[in-house]
């Protein structure tokens, strides 16, 4: 969801760094970039281990989530990624089943889906907080594929992160890499196909791309 359907990354970054300031730690940009595709719980486990924090991971997660929710609710310019709503409608109208498999928490996914009225298009929502390991572990995608009416070999994942693409390949599911201006320092080279704009794909082009694979 993050970086593909909606760009909540600036809100997450604001909340994370606000929290880092409260904790009195300085997280380098390169280290922060490596967190993309990880659940908040796993991010703070790494933060706790790296900076030898005494805090409970669950408490850290709850504080960051509070800061994120505050920023999310007060940010008026939060919008869907350009072209993604048209693509979602096109795929849905052509009978393609849509499932969200996001590292975001259930509360964040539901906030986005409620704000942009997306529930009508998706049959299932899968959150990374329900899995012990984050992407690049493939568990979240394997579970999402198990919910699909189609067999796994017919599934397509759209990802914008290094960890997400690694997870898709580990799950042995065809992956389209979305090279977004919003997703910095991400390696999309393992993706089966790369796009730079959602206007490049629709139901028909996805079928053609998959057939050529």
């Amino acid at each position: 969801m993050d970086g593909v359907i909606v760009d909540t990354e600036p809100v997450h970054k604001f909340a994370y760094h606000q929290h880092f300031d409260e904790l009195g730690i300085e997280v380098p940009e390169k280290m922060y970039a490596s967190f993309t595709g990880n659940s908040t719980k796993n991010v703070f486990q790494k933060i706790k281990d790296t900076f030898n924090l005494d805090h409970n991971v669950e408490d850290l997660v709850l504080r960051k989530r509070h800061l994120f929710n505050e920023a999310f609710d007060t940010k008026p310019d939060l919008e869907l990624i350009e072209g993604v709503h048209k693509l979602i409608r096109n795929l849905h109208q052509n009978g393609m089943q849509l499932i969200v498999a996001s590292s975001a928490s259930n509360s964040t996914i539901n906030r986005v889906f409620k704000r942009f009225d997306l529930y009508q298009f998706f049959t299932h929502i899968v959150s990374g907080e329900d899995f012990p390991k984050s992407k690049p572990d493939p568990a979240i995608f394997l579970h999402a594929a198990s919910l699909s009416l189609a067999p796994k070999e017919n599934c397509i994942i759209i990802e914008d992160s290094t960890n997400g693409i690694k997870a898709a390949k580990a799950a042995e599911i065809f992956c389209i890499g979305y090279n977004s201006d919003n997703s910095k320092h991400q390696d999309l080279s393992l993706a089966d196909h790369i796009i730079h704009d959602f206007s490049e794909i629709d139901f028909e082009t996805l079928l053609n791309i998959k057939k050529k694979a």
Side-chain angles (χ1 to χ4, degrees), residues 17-188:
H17 284 278
Q18 196 174 2
H19 197 190
F20 296 158
D21 288 344
E22 291 178 356
L23 295 169
I25 61 176
E26 188 171 337
V27 176
E29 189 62 32
K30 187 174 181 180
M31 182 181 183
Y32 182 80
S34 73
F35 296 153
T36 302
N38 279 226
S39 67
T40 307
K41 181 178 180 180
N42 284 325
V43 168
F44 275 112
Q45 186 61 61
K46 292 176 183 178
I47 292 288
K48 178 182 171 74
D49 295 342
T50 301
F51 294 95
N52 298 312
L53 299 179
D54 294 328
H55 302 68
N56 182 281
V57 170
E58 293 300 328
D59 292 337
L60 294 170
V61 169
L62 289 174
R63 177 57 182 163
K64 185 268 175 178
R65 189 170 294 166
H66 172 75
L67 294 171
F68 173 85
N69 289 342
E70 272 191 344
F72 184 94
D73 289 338
T74 57
K75 189 172 175 56
D77 58 338
L78 187 68
E79 297 292 344
L80 295 177
I81 300 291
E82 185 175 355
V84 77
H85 197 266
K86 182 179 179 180
L87 175 63
I88 288 171
R89 290 200 313 272
N90 172 265
L91 299 180
H92 183 261
Q93 288 167 359
N94 281 281
M96 183 177 281
Q97 184 184 8
L98 301 178
I99 298 172
V100 162
S102 173
S103 296
S105 66
N106 281 298
S107 64
T108 297
I109 296 171
N110 288 322
R111 278 175 178 269
V112 170
F113 269 54
K114 184 176 180 180
R115 180 162 176 167
F116 297 106
D117 192 24
L118 297 177
Y119 289 110
Q120 59 185 310
F121 302 114
F122 292 80
T123 62
H124 298 85
I125 291 174
V126 184
S127 166
E129 73 176 355
D130 297 325
F131 298 85
K133 293 182 179 180
S134 293
K135 304 169 188 174
D137 187 274
I140 188 170
F141 286 146
L142 290 171
H143 180 66
S146 75
L147 299 173
S148 171
L149 297 175
K152 188 178 77 168
E153 55 266 26
N154 287 358
C155 293
I156 298 173
I157 292 169
I158 300 178
E159 259 291 350
D160 73 320
S161 73
T162 304
N163 288 329
I165 291 171
K166 286 181 178 178
K169 300 315 295 177
E172 298 182 328
I173 298 175
F174 188 90
C175 183
I176 291 179
Y178 173 47
N179 190 3
S180 166
D181 290 336
N182 301 314
S183 305
K184 307 295 184 185
H185 312 296
Q186 302 303 305
D187 180 6
L188 310 184

